[in-house]
Amino acid sequence: MKKIIFNKKDYKNYQDMYKDMAIKTGANKIEDYFDTSNYEYDPNILWECLECDFGFTKNSINIVLLNFDKEKIKLQKTYDDYEYNLVLEIFEEFVEKYPNNKLEFRMDEDKK
């Protein structure tokens, strides 16, 4: 199982996260009708790529979301939180539909 870690401290905004997701999942190397280097900042395109690359195949991923305060993000007090929440919902729905994949939320102090 491939482990992919996304650390919120590495991003200035949700757009940085989309770019990092595209690199870490390998979507940026796919030539398609949309811009796979950033999923066009669209959660639907993120879903499509996850489903094609990890849902329909035997390739499994462990998505680790480091320093994402899920409860705070779900309040959506900023536009970035709104966008981050959409990504979190995609990841949650993805692992629910494809249980061979895993999603973990961790904070820095949880690392040991």
Side-chain angles (χ1 to χ4, degrees):
M1 177 177 284
K2 179 179 180 178
K3 181 184 263 188
I4 303 174
I5 300 172
F6 302 107
N7 187 344
K8 191 168 187 285
K9 291 181 179 181
D10 293 340
Y11 313 126
K12 288 186 271 178
N13 54 43
Y14 75 94
Q15 293 159 320
D16 287 349
M17 184 180 183
Y18 269 102
K19 292 172 189 172
D20 192 39
M21 287 187 299
I23 292 166
K24 289 180 178 174
T25 61
N28 63 329
K29 296 176 182 164
I30 300 168
E31 291 187 26
D32 212 325
Y33 59 93
F34 50 78
D35 184 356
T36 55
S37 69
N38 60 21
Y39 298 111
E40 292 185 5
Y41 312 114
D42 185 332
N44 294 316
I45 295 173
L46 170 62
W47 171 263
E48 184 178 326
C49 287
L50 287 172
E51 194 168 50
C52 290
D53 292 341
F54 303 103
F56 298 144
T57 67
K58 294 186 181 193
N59 299 324
S60 297
I61 56 171
N62 178 13
I63 302 164
V64 178
L65 297 175
L66 186 60
N67 298 310
F68 283 85
D69 185 339
K70 183 175 163 181
E71 299 310 314
K72 182 180 173 189
I73 290 170
K74 291 206 177 280
L75 295 175
Q76 299 181 19
K77 291 191 176 198
T78 67
Y79 186 74
D80 275 330
D81 283 347
Y82 167 78
E83 291 288 344
Y84 283 131
N85 190 53
L86 292 175
V87 171
L88 299 183
E89 288 176 351
I90 291 296
F91 285 150
E92 289 171 331
E93 185 178 336
F94 176 72
V95 297
E96 185 177 317
K97 185 172 180 179
Y98 301 101
N100 59 310
N101 298 286
K102 188 174 175 186
L103 176 62
E104 298 178 47
F105 287 88
R106 292 192 211 156
M107 299 303 278
D108 270 339
E109 60 270 12
D110 293 342
K111 287 177 33 180
K112 295 193 168 93

